[in-house]
Amino acid sequence: MSGSLGGITGSLRLTSLRLRLVVVFALVALTAAVAVSGIAYWINRDAVLTRAQNAALNDFRESLGDNAGSLPRRPACDALRETAGTMANSTQRYEVVLIGEQADGSRCEAASDPGFTLEDVPGTLRSAVAEKRPLDAVNKAPYHLYWQRITVDGEPYLVGGATVIGGGPTGYMFKSLAPERDDLSSLAWSLGIATALALVGSALLAQAAATTVLRPVQRLGEAARRLGEGRLETRLRVSGKDELAELSRTFNRTAEALEHRVAELSAREESSRRFVADMSHELRTPLTAITAVTEVLEDEIDSLDPMIAPAVTLVVSETRRLNDLVENLMEVTRFDAGTARLVLDDVDVADQVTACIDARAWLDAVELDADRGITARLDPRRLDVILANLIGNALKHGGSPVRVSVHTREGAARNEGPDEGPGEGPDEGPGEDELVIRVADRGPGIPQEVLPHVFDRFYKASASRPRSEGSGLGLSIAMENAHIHGGSITAENAPEGGAVFTLRLPRDASRLAPEQDRDAGTAPGADGGGAHREDGR
């Protein structure tokens, strides 16, 4: 029961179009029903009262002329009383009071019912009845019949009076209008019930009409939601030729055009990725030969002509940079193609950080704060790539000493995805243990307008420095390697100065990604941070 009530409440929430349609329909129906009922009541009320009034007055006029008109000019009280009783026995069921002057000049008041007397007749009516009007072309009689509706003790009555022409008595009739009042009350109740039924019926019709109108709108909203989720094959079933059907056709045409456009863009993107991958593979063979030659030249640099030595040094440096760029491009294409895989192993994190620093001769420039014995099941190669990029980036742009701290956090649940921007931390909540590695430098920090873009590929914060020692892909590759572990990297500025990059990884990545064979190809090395921060600082 509570579930059904909840559904009704949900479907008729205050801001819903359905509720507004029902309310509008109901108000229109209520207004129309009240107007019609009111008009019908007043028309029937006037007709009922007029019919009862005319019947009573006509009967009273005829009875007064037939009975009181046959009396002598000065009748006795008994005769008046008898005549009043005779007149009251009419089918119209009214009471009569007759007033006449007796032979001795006294005034006699005779009533058919002692409950009604001349005092019950309004003074204005008595004055009008007693007034003798002059005869002319318009007024053919000196006396006329007058009537008035009054209320006595809460009961409605019709009072009429007239004087017998030729000097006869004056008569008044009292007719109760209670039957007519009861009939009109019944009519009012009937109209009220009809109005209520009309209101209920209009609400039901409004609900049905709203359902008919809103069902296509709801289907359109659901289709738009699915389209927004990437299900571009979504289409609406079109029936009819009304505005809603035309709207559905427009949606289908838009969805079809969008699907076609996205397919074109996807094909172009796939072609671009394939071109980059093919180009990278094609460049590896000549680069291998060039690298071998540059290594020989580097070994013989001391014996070369001093004029040639700087050029050889530049060739060696640029060759290494080009080799790193090719390796990074190949790694990027693996991530874009979804072929990057983890090769998991149990890693002592402190030893892994130390090995990364030692392999690149950074021991004198890095302060390590890591307890021995912190282990995690990760891909050692990819962790090395992440550390090399973060630490190398910090050394290049922040200067030494760079501080690397390693610790764990229990019960941390991550809610990051591939689209998480820098500076966004994980949501706190119950979850698995987490490995946290922070790399902090002593530099000027990262400008606030650059922070959202430090992990973008090839981002250049300054157009005046389009060229840099790094490839501009280092931090992007580091972020991708963190994501494939189910982790993330965030960037922020420390309050005391300097930039802080925080790597968060699950201590057991096998729960998120099964152990698989590594892609063919050598691992990309750190390009001195690779770093995108290089172009963003």
Side-chain angles (χ1 to χ4, degrees), residues 74 118 162 231 361 431:
R74 294 185 176 184
L118 185 61
R231 298 164 65 181

Side-chain angles (χ1 to χ4, degrees), residues 214-386:
L214 294 180
R215 185 178 293 114
V217 176
Q218 291 171 346
R219 285 200 298 263
L220 179 61
E222 179 65 20
R225 184 186 63 80
R226 292 198 301 268
L227 195 66
E229 292 173 351
R231 298 164 65 181
L232 301 181
E233 73 284 357
T234 301
R235 297 293 186 274
L236 288 172
R237 180 170 53 85
V238 181
S239 61
K241 297 182 179 180
D242 56 7
E243 290 81 358
L244 292 175
E246 183 60 30
L247 180 61
S248 298
R249 293 189 185 92
T250 302
F251 175 86
N252 288 341
R253 290 193 293 267
T254 303
E256 183 177 359
L258 179 62
E259 184 179 20
H260 181 67
R261 183 61 176 167
V262 170
E264 288 183 350
L265 294 176
S266 298
R268 293 179 184 178
E269 184 180 1
E270 178 62 27
S271 177
S272 299
R273 285 201 301 263
R274 188 164 53 250
F275 170 76
V276 173
D278 293 344
M279 181 190 67
S280 301
H281 280 286
E282 291 298 327
L283 287 175
R284 291 188 67 190
T285 300
L287 271 177
T288 301
I290 294 173
T291 300
V293 172
T294 56
E295 288 177 354
V296 173
L297 290 175
E298 188 178 20
D299 292 339
E300 299 295 333
I301 195 170
D302 293 336
S303 60
L304 295 176
D305 189 326
M307 297 294 294
I308 301 176
V312 172
T313 302
L314 178 61
V315 170
V316 171
S317 174
E318 291 302 312
T319 301
R320 288 175 177 169
R321 182 172 178 271
L322 181 59
N323 189 67
D324 290 340
L325 176 60
V326 170
E327 296 295 343
N328 282 335
L329 287 175
M330 292 182 64
E331 186 75 355
V332 167
T333 58
R334 293 189 188 99
F335 285 118
D336 289 344
T339 59
R341 297 291 184 268
L342 293 176
V343 180
L344 301 178
D345 195 5
D346 292 327
V347 177
D348 187 304
V349 180
D351 291 344
Q352 182 74 21
V353 176
T354 302
C356 175
I357 297 172
D358 186 31
R360 294 161 179 82
W362 292 339
L363 287 175
D364 295 336
V366 178
E367 297 177 354
L368 178 60
D369 179 14
D371 295 332
R372 301 292 174 180
I374 298 178
T375 60
R377 187 165 182 78
L378 304 167
D379 187 328
R381 181 186 69 85
R382 296 188 183 278
L383 178 59
D384 182 77
V385 171
I386 298 172

